Amino acid sequence: MSNTANKKHNCTTLCYIEREDSYLMMHRVKKEKDINKDKWVGVGGHFEEGESPEECLLREVREETGLELTSWKLRGVITFSTDTYPTEYMFLYTADGYTGEMIECNEGNLEWVKKSDVYDLPIWEGDKVFFRLMKEDVPVFSLKLRYEGDTLVETVLNGVNVE
Amino acid sequence: MSNTANKKHNCTTLCYIEREDSYLMMHRVKKEKDINKDKWVGVGGHFEEGESPEECLLREVREETGLELTSWKLRGVITFSTDTYPTEYMFLYTADGYTGEMIECNEGNLEWVKKSDVYDLPIWEGDKVFFRLMKEDVPVFSLKLRYEGDTLVETVLNGVNVE
């Protein structure tokens, strides 16, 4: 769920790299103008013209972490709708294989966070929904999250409204 | 794989409705300016702003066939790349439940075609690839199809080049 601007591609990737019982999270503290300012998110970003979802995934992970993914899994597609930005379609992945050494990222600080602890971080409310779906190993899902400001006002899972 | 123009959303849905051993196919003979002119394709079309993939799917099927889907399944996402149009991301579905009566469609003629016969129709070369993947019940896949004109020049399945 990276920075969104009008001219960018409306498709993005969002990846949670796994190591033992932790996810690699980015604390977005480095950019002033950032829809995710001060929040913790996965790594990823906008598609470049012509890229497939995997091509975007591998490039973004490489750019932001220095790691080269060797094993990944599509977990779902998130329709991320706000009252400020155009709707974004986020291809959500987990990755459990990679090579290389982690670098510093200019978009935020990278940290391994225990999966059970992510709910207590300042994250988007809807992210808790997909963290649970990933934990329950729900097959590739479609999740629509509609926000008004920072407030999650609608959650639709595979076409069905969720309370 | 519906008509693509610069100003349209780059995400689309493509749906093959199933009845017994047939798919509902559309013979695109009604529009002059149509990337799919004279080809046989499924039903579907471009996302409208704010729509989730399912919302687009249900609306397009309703508009083009008069049918209301009650059961559907995401089969894959296709990165459809040409040398003429911006890259299109097609959410590919099959649907095995619906209500309502079929209407005439102004984009083409709707016909039920035996699944084993679709390979002999004038269809996009890459469509044969995903028809096989659907037949083999491959889990939600990512398929990149790159064309030069009508010629398929690159096929990448889940990040791996296919001959």
Side-chain angles (χ1 to χ4, degrees):
Chain A
M1 197 181 313
S2 66
N3 184 48
T4 310
N6 273 310
K7 285 187 190 160
K8 289 191 175 175
H9 204 290
N10 58 0
C11 290
T12 61
T13 48
L14 176 62
C15 182
Y16 289 90
I17 301 174
E18 298 173 296
R19 192 185 70 179
E20 292 160 17
D21 59 351
S22 295
Y23 285 132
L24 184 62
M25 304 279 290
M26 190 185 291
H27 194 193
R28 308 274 301 206
V29 290
K30 295 195 180 175
K31 284 161 77 176
E32 260 322 301
K33 195 164 176 296
D34 183 353
I35 189 176
N36 295 307
K37 180 85 177 120
D38 294 331
K39 288 202 175 63
W40 293 72
V41 296
V43 295
H46 292 262
F47 285 31
E48 291 183 356
E49 169 53 29
E51 281 186 331
S52 68
E54 296 78 41
E55 286 166 338
C56 171
L57 171 70
L58 297 182
R59 179 185 50 74
E60 286 283 349
V61 168
R62 193 182 302 127
E63 288 175 5
E64 296 189 346
T65 70
L67 303 176
E68 195 68 37
L69 293 187
T70 55
S71 172
W72 64 87
K73 198 173 159 187
L74 178 67
R75 307 303 296 263
V77 177
I78 297 161
T79 303
F80 179 73
S81 167
T82 66
D83 44 12
T84 315
Y85 298 96
T87 304
E88 186 177 321
Y89 300 91
M90 299 163 39
F91 288 74
L92 175 68
Y93 293 87
T94 50
D96 61 0
Y98 54 87
T99 58
E101 292 297 319
M102 209 136 81
I103 56 169
E104 284 230 345
C105 177
N106 62 4
E107 300 192 9
N109 298 323
L110 293 166
E111 279 186 42
W112 294 100
V113 178
K114 260 189 88 168
K115 291 181 183 179
S116 55
D117 291 345
V118 296
Y119 302 92
D120 302 322
L121 297 174
I123 62 177
W124 288 87
E125 208 178 328
D127 293 8
K128 298 178 187 178
V129 179
F130 67 68
F131 277 128
R132 286 203 187 89
L133 295 172
M134 296 198 299
K135 186 183 170 199
E136 291 164 12
D137 220 9
V138 170
V140 180
F141 53 83
S142 174
L143 181 66
K144 182 173 185 174
L145 301 170
R146 190 164 65 81
Y147 289 88
E148 287 173 4
D150 255 19
T151 307
L152 181 63
V153 294
E154 194 183 11
T155 305
V156 186
L157 178 61
N158 295 328
V160 179
N161 261 285
V162 178
E163 282 306 303
Chain B
M1 196 183 311
S2 65
N3 184 46
T4 312
N6 274 310
K7 286 187 185 159
K8 289 191 172 173
H9 204 290
N10 57 1
C11 290
T12 61
T13 49
L14 176 62
C15 182
Y16 289 89
I17 302 175
E18 298 173 297
R19 191 185 68 178
E20 292 159 16
D21 59 351
S22 296
Y23 286 132
L24 184 61
M25 303 279 290
M26 189 185 291
H27 194 192
R28 308 272 303 203
V29 290
K30 296 193 178 175
K31 285 161 77 175
E32 261 320 301
K33 198 166 175 294
D34 183 354
I35 188 176
N36 295 307
K37 180 83 175 121
D38 294 331
K39 287 201 175 66
W40 293 73
V41 295
V43 295
H46 292 262
F47 285 31
E48 292 183 354
E49 169 54 30
E51 281 186 331
S52 68
E54 296 77 42
E55 286 167 339
C56 172
L57 171 72
L58 297 181
R59 177 185 51 72
E60 287 282 349
V61 168
R62 192 182 302 125
E63 287 174 6
E64 296 189 346
T65 70
L67 304 175
E68 195 68 37
L69 294 186
T70 55
S71 173
W72 64 87
K73 197 173 159 187
L74 179 66
R75 307 303 295 265
V77 177
I78 296 162
T79 303
F80 179 73
S81 167
T82 67
D83 44 12
T84 316
Y85 298 96
T87 304
E88 187 177 320
Y89 299 91
M90 299 164 38
F91 289 74
L92 176 68
Y93 293 88
T94 50
D96 61 359
Y98 54 87
T99 58
E101 292 298 320
M102 210 138 80
I103 57 170
E104 285 230 344
C105 176
N106 62 4
E107 301 191 10
N109 298 324
L110 294 166
E111 280 186 43
W112 295 100
V113 179
K114 262 188 87 168
K115 290 181 184 180
S116 54
D117 292 345
V118 296
Y119 302 92
D120 302 322
L121 296 174
I123 61 178
W124 288 89
E125 208 179 327
D127 293 9
K128 298 177 186 178
V129 179
F130 67 68
F131 277 128
R132 287 203 186 89
L133 296 172
M134 295 197 299
K135 188 184 171 197
E136 291 163 12
D137 220 10
V138 171
V140 180
F141 52 83
S142 173
L143 180 67
K144 182 174 185 175
L145 300 170
R146 190 164 65 81
Y147 289 88
E148 286 172 5
D150 255 19
T151 307
L152 182 63
V153 293
E154 194 183 11
T155 305
V156 187
L157 178 61
N158 294 329
V160 179
N161 261 284
V162 179
E163 283 307 303

